[in-house]
Amino acid sequence: FGKDLLCSARAVIGFHSRDFVPLVASLPDVEAFSAVKCDIRDEDLHYLLELRQLRSLELEQNQITDEGLRTIGKMVTLKYLNISSQVFPRTGGHPITDRGLKHLVPLDKLRALGVHATGITAEGVEAFASAHPNCKVARTDEELRLVDGFDP
């Protein structure tokens, strides 16, 4: 593997893609990890703490909640994070809210944060942005694509 690692639910046949998350921890030089639609859950995120070079994390369309953001908030090397479209299929609810966004405050190197289709409100974005003036908080996929340097 190179320094960028991509996990796609469509690329893995026969078992859940989230089974690969523990293996990722054995690749300490990974700088970018994209896992879209991989059924990743809060309990899987602690493995990613082993990636001390991680600067870009794409977790769109998984099952991350406010509690998972507590773990992500410890990934202090992150510059780009996309947690968009976290919806629980059974309830249709948004498991990421303003309350969870507060766990990301320690990420002072963050330059782009994707929160499209989450329960994060405009007020939550404003509060986060005031603590992180150099971070672009993107509430749409289009806004995230326009962020300079973000390439999920």
Side-chain angles (χ1 to χ4, degrees), residues 22-37:
L23 299 175
V24 172
S26 68
L27 305 168
D29 293 330
V30 171
E31 294 179 1
F33 180 57
S34 179
V36 177
K37 293 184 181 180

Side-chain angles (χ1 to χ4, degrees), residues 39 59-65 83-96 116-119:
D39 195 33
L59 292 173
E60 189 172 358
Q61 298 181 35
N62 283 287
Q63 294 191 39
I64 309 301
T65 71
I83 52 172
S84 297
S85 302
Q86 306 293 328
V87 178
F88 284 135
R90 289 183 216 152
T91 65
H94 294 289
I96 292 181
H116 170 68
T118 64

